[in-house]
Amino acid sequence: MADDATPLLSRRDGAVLTLTLNRPQALNSFDGALHEALLGALKAAAGDAGVRCVVITGAGRGFCAGQDLSDPAIAPDLTPGAAPKNIGKLIEERYKPLALAIHHFPVPVIAAVNGVAAGAGANLALNCDIVLAAKSASFIQAFSKIGLIPDCGGSWLLPRLVGRANAMALALLGEKCSAEEAQRIGLIWRCVADDALATETLALAARLAALPSKALAETRRAFDNADRMGLDGALSLEADVQRRLGMSHDYLEGVSAFFAKRAPVFKDR
Ligand code: T3D
């Protein structure tokens, strides 16, 4: 694929923006340039009303191997007595904004996991709204093997996705979880044949792009808020949101289209 000097490739198919991590020689692990490029592209896309779905995928045989452990800015100096580096700063300045940018993204974000997703690379995918993986892909919480904890949101995401028992085993053991197993335990939505990943991803993205984006955004917000409230609070929030959405063009259009047996034309208002 493409130009090795460009850490991130960007492609538009109608309303779908595909961002491809492009450091295949290092399994698309994150160095400073890739971090900057991905966060920059997400910020630009968030302000572009023409983008209605974003796909994140990887070039070559991997999705993303997490932090580039050889990046001189971050990698520990292995010389005896050398001062330790502050990787908390990296997490605060790079991974936290990245995870939050995806989490609060105005339209759905799909991870199309084409190969191994390790460390922060696995959690990059799990931050996305829908994770579709190739059958040969895998997910590894590689952190414990280098003396760290799951970051890029992993400590928050894992127990919510797969329950504490599965999350603990994934995080403590740091073993490879196949895409099929990941689907079985609910870590990801679905895995598909390797040669179907690209087409299935674009078809899914096109479906999401055609839906009323306000309702999709409110669905995601309701799920997030539900974490902070009991059933009573969630029911009240549902009433508030439905009150607003029920006055929208898209609700009237959806119902009209249903009775007219035609495809709806949503306008995001
Ligand atoms: O600084 C901090 O640590 C704080 C940040 C934390 C966030 C994190 O993400 S911590 C977790 C970091 N990631 C890892 O620990 C994963 C390391 N990689 C692996 O365990 C394996 O590479 C994989 C299981 C992902 C894949 O294994 P395999 O056998 O398919 O491939 P490989 O031969 O190990 O890797 C291929 C090449 O990619 C190889 O380079 P070479 O020998 O061909 O020149 C390998 O060194 C390079 N590579 C893979 N992962 C990384 C990497 N280079 C730099 N950083 C990596 N993370």
Side-chain angles (χ1 to χ4, degrees), residues 23-30 61 64-71 74-76 87-88 90-91 95 116-122 138 140-143 145-146 148-149 151-152 176:
R23 302 188 67 233
Q25 69 287 357
L27 298 180
N28 304 317
S29 54
F30 276 103
R61 74 175 176 90
C64 176
Q67 175 60 33
D68 183 333
L69 297 171
S70 68
D71 183 348
I74 303 302
I87 59 175
L90 165 82
I91 305 300
Y95 288 104
V116 64
S138 55
I140 310 174
Q141 294 295 319
F143 307 92
K145 294 197 171 148
I146 55 168
L148 298 177
I149 68 161
D151 60 24
C152 196
K176 184 181 279 193

Side-chain angles (χ1 to χ4, degrees), residues 17 66 240 248:
L17 174 70
D240 275 353
S248 69

Side-chain angles (χ1 to χ4, degrees), residues 38-129:
L38 181 57
L39 194 56
L42 287 170
K43 280 187 182 158
D48 180 346
V51 174
R52 299 177 57 83
C53 184
V54 169
V55 173
I56 300 177
T57 192
R61 74 175 176 90
F63 174 72
C64 176
Q67 175 60 33
D68 183 333
L69 297 171
S70 68
D71 183 348
I74 303 302
D77 181 346
L78 302 175
T79 319
K85 291 201 174 139
N86 181 357
I87 59 175
K89 190 166 177 305
L90 165 82
I91 305 300
E92 196 68 50
E93 290 177 357
R94 299 287 189 183
Y95 288 104
K96 183 176 173 184
L98 178 60
L100 289 178
I102 295 172
H103 205 72
H104 298 304
F105 205 73
V107 296
V109 183
I110 298 173
V113 181
N114 53 299
V116 64
N123 296 337
L124 167 70
L126 300 183
N127 273 291
C128 296
D129 297 302

